[in-house]
Amino acid sequence: MTARTMSSSPYPASSPSSASSPPPPARFAAYDRQTWKEIAHLLANLPLGVAGFVYVVVTLATGGGLAVTVVGLPLLALALLGARRLGRAERARARGLLGLRIDEPSPMPRHRGYGFFGWLWSSLKDPVGWRTMLYSFMRLPWGVLTFAITLVGLFVLWPVLPYVVRGLTNADRVMVRGLLSPSDELERRIVELESDRGVVVDTAAADLRRIERDLHDGAQARLVALAMGLGLAKEKLLEGRADDTVAAMVDEAHGEVKLALQELRDLARGIHPAVLTDRGLDAALSSLAARCTVPVKVTADLPSRPAAAIEGSAYFTVSELLQNISKHSGARAASVEVWRADQRLLIQVWDDGRGGASLDGGTGMAGLADRLGAVDGLFVIESPEGGPTTITAELPWRDRDRDHAAQG
């Protein structure tokens, strides 16, 4: 699911798989460029329909007849892959001659590690290939009809032929949309999940680089300084020069140890806070609110604890939003509400600051929205200039017990 601001509709905009401007209206005895394209399309229906029909009948008969042998099913799988290429050519013809733009279906999934049988099974149950086979089989009688009407019409019906051609090509458009379009929600969902997987990988890599940088520049540097200081103090003690300088060096080393421990605690809290693991989301969010520079009221109404991954995502979402409130909002009060609605975990963060928050405001909102979108979440901003700001986030709910059982 995608993140968006409240300047648009609060619900996902429908995005049909075929987005194309309608052709210009047909006119009496007007053979404009679009009309000639449509005539060419209808005349080409017959030869292409014959080719597609022959391909479907021969491949299905051969593959089905040999299904009891070793080669039958692989031949059928190859035929379905070839049908995908036929569908691609038909979509290109529809774009060029009918002005109909159809999204390309997602490519065949690759099951690494499953070998030949994984490829065979994926190919045989490919809905795109089977729909293209059906389309090619139906095209022969339709191609004969449209070819005959168009050819006769060029000599007999030429005054009204543009209207006849438009009616026939509209039927073509319906068939192309119905059989050669991606399978709507399923295909769009596959593409969306592939994109989200890339976001998750990039986010994990960025987190690893941040942890490495924090360790290298923070605790590691302090521990190196601590080792050097203790080494000098040890040399002085071995030389029998136990004076005030040694005591000062030991005291400084003690201070470095405390600072290094604090930095390690902060780093561990940034990876996964102990209070979240031990006491749950309510206590963890109260701990975040206590560290915020703005008074924050926390309300958590959860009948049970969600899965650890969902709980962690909710925690870090609120953490980043409260940091933005502290740094950028100029607010005097804020609130955090968390509750469950059906199979969704809802988070709402409000503040009475100056407003104007947006995904492109440079406050990390876009990255936060991408992270939520990658786990099938939702991120909505309502922040007019002058405030107040209300940010709503949704996450899918998964029960913790079921998640533990799946891991076990």
Side-chain angles (χ1 to χ4, degrees):
M1 303 179 73
T2 54
R4 58 192 181 278
T5 63
M6 287 297 291
S7 58
S8 60
S9 168
Y11 299 98
S14 61
S15 55
S17 61
S18 56
S20 56
S21 57
R27 293 177 293 170
F28 180 77
Y31 286 71
D32 57 9
R33 183 179 181 182
Q34 182 59 39
T35 300
W36 284 114
K37 284 184 175 182
E38 292 176 347
I39 290 173
H41 178 86
L42 294 174
L43 292 176
N45 275 348
L46 178 57
L48 294 176
V50 171
F53 184 85
V54 171
Y55 177 84
V56 171
V57 170
V58 171
T59 55
L60 287 183
T62 304
L66 297 175
V68 294
T69 67
V70 178
V71 298
L73 293 180
L75 283 177
L76 191 56
L78 290 173
L80 290 169
L81 292 178
R84 274 181 166 257
R85 295 184 178 275
L86 291 179
R88 185 183 308 159
E90 283 296 315
R91 284 187 291 271
R93 186 164 73 103
R95 281 194 298 270
L97 297 178
L98 300 183
L100 182 64
R101 289 173 175 81
I102 301 292
D103 293 341
E104 292 294 327
S106 59
M108 285 284 298
R110 297 181 179 179
H111 299 284
R112 292 185 175 88
Y114 292 93
F116 171 77
F117 292 101
W119 166 83
L120 181 63
W121 176 244
S122 298
S123 301
L124 290 176
K125 65 185 183 70
D126 177 27
V128 176
W130 284 112
R131 289 202 314 269
T132 307
M133 286 281 202
L134 177 60
Y135 175 86
S136 300
F137 185 82
M138 294 169 50
R139 295 297 290 179
L140 180 57
W142 176 250
V144 172
L145 178 64
T146 57
F147 181 86
I149 292 176
T150 306
L151 188 61
V152 173
L154 284 171
F155 299 98
V156 179
L157 303 175
W158 62 267
V160 294
L161 187 58
Y163 297 98
V164 176
V165 166
R166 180 57 50 82
L168 294 174
T169 53
N170 281 342
D172 262 313
R173 291 182 176 94
V174 171
M175 281 190 281
V176 172
R177 284 194 185 100
L179 293 175
L180 298 184
S181 296
S183 53
D184 296 332
E185 291 300 324
L186 177 60
E187 290 290 335
R188 283 201 294 271
R189 184 65 176 151
I190 290 173
V191 174
E192 183 178 312
L193 289 175
E194 288 176 348
S195 174
D196 290 346
R197 181 178 59 185
V199 173
V200 170
V201 171
D202 293 342
T203 300
D207 286 341
L208 287 174
R209 288 194 298 271
R210 176 184 59 81
I211 294 170
E212 181 183 12
R213 184 178 62 251
D214 290 345
L215 282 172
H216 183 272
D217 297 340
Q220 180 179 338
R222 291 195 180 279
L223 291 174
V224 169
L226 170 63
M228 293 176 63
L230 290 177
L232 291 174
K234 178 182 178 181
E235 289 181 1
K236 289 183 176 291
L237 287 174
L238 291 175
E239 294 172 358
R241 294 182 293 167
D243 52 13
D244 293 340
T245 304
V246 175
M249 296 173 75
V250 172
D251 186 63
E252 182 180 353
H254 183 253
E256 290 289 337
V257 169
K258 291 193 291 185
L259 290 174
L261 287 173
Q262 182 60 43
E263 288 183 355
L264 288 173
R265 289 194 193 100
D266 293 339
L267 182 60
R269 188 183 296 117
I271 298 172
H272 196 83
V275 65
L276 180 62
T277 303
D278 297 338
R279 300 174 56 193
L281 198 55
D282 190 359
L285 295 183
S286 298
S287 175
L288 283 177
R291 297 199 300 270
C292 185
T293 59
V294 177
V296 180
K297 179 183 178 182
V298 176
T299 304
D301 183 13
L302 299 176
S304 59
R305 293 182 63 176
I310 301 301
E311 200 173 56
S313 296
Y315 173 87
F316 289 112
T317 297
V318 175
S319 175
E320 188 156 345
L321 291 176
L322 290 183
Q323 287 181 23
N324 284 335
I325 290 175
S326 297
K327 296 177 182 178
H328 308 291
S329 70
R332 292 175 295 177
S335 66
V336 175
E337 295 183 50
V338 182
W339 71 99
R340 178 183 177 180
D342 295 328
Q343 294 301 310
R344 307 291 286 180
L345 175 65
L346 283 84
I347 305 166
Q348 192 168 81
V349 179
W350 171 90
D351 70 80
D352 61 355
R354 62 177 65 95
S358 65
L359 293 179
D360 55 357
T363 56
M365 294 287 190
L368 187 58
D370 288 341
R371 292 189 182 198
L372 288 176
V375 294
D376 201 17
L378 184 67
F379 190 77
V380 180
I381 300 175
E382 185 178 5
S383 183
E385 292 293 339
T389 295
T390 302
I391 297 177
T392 304
E394 290 186 20
L395 288 164
W397 179 278
R398 291 204 313 270
D399 291 325
R400 176 172 289 258
D401 294 339
R402 184 181 305 173
D403 192 55
H404 283 171
Q407 292 177 0

Coordinates of all heavy atoms in Angstrom, one line a residue, residues 54 64 270 298 347 393:
V54 N -4.5 -21.6 -35.2 CA -3.7 -22.7 -35.5 C -2.7 -23.0 -34.4 O -2.5 -24.1 -34.0 CB -3.0 -22.5 -36.9 CG1 -2.0 -23.6 -37.1 CG2 -4.0 -22.5 -38.0
G64 N -1.4 -31.9 -25.1 CA -2.4 -32.7 -24.4 C -2.3 -34.2 -24.8 O -2.4 -35.1 -24.0
G270 N 18.0 1.7 19.9 CA 17.7 2.0 18.5 C 17.5 0.7 17.7 O 16.8 0.8 16.7
V298 N -0.2 9.5 26.1 CA -0.1 8.2 25.4 C -1.4 7.4 25.8 O -1.7 7.3 27.0 CB 1.1 7.4 25.7 CG1 1.1 6.0 25.1 CG2 2.4 8.2 25.3
I347 N -2.3 3.8 14.5 CA -1.5 4.7 15.3 C -1.9 6.2 14.8 O -1.9 6.5 13.6 CB 0.0 4.5 15.1 CG1 0.3 3.1 15.4 CG2 0.8 5.5 15.9 CD1 1.7 2.7 14.9
A393 N -1.2 6.3 11.0 CA -0.4 5.1 10.4 C -1.2 3.9 10.7 O -1.8 3.7 11.7 CB 1.0 5.1 11.0

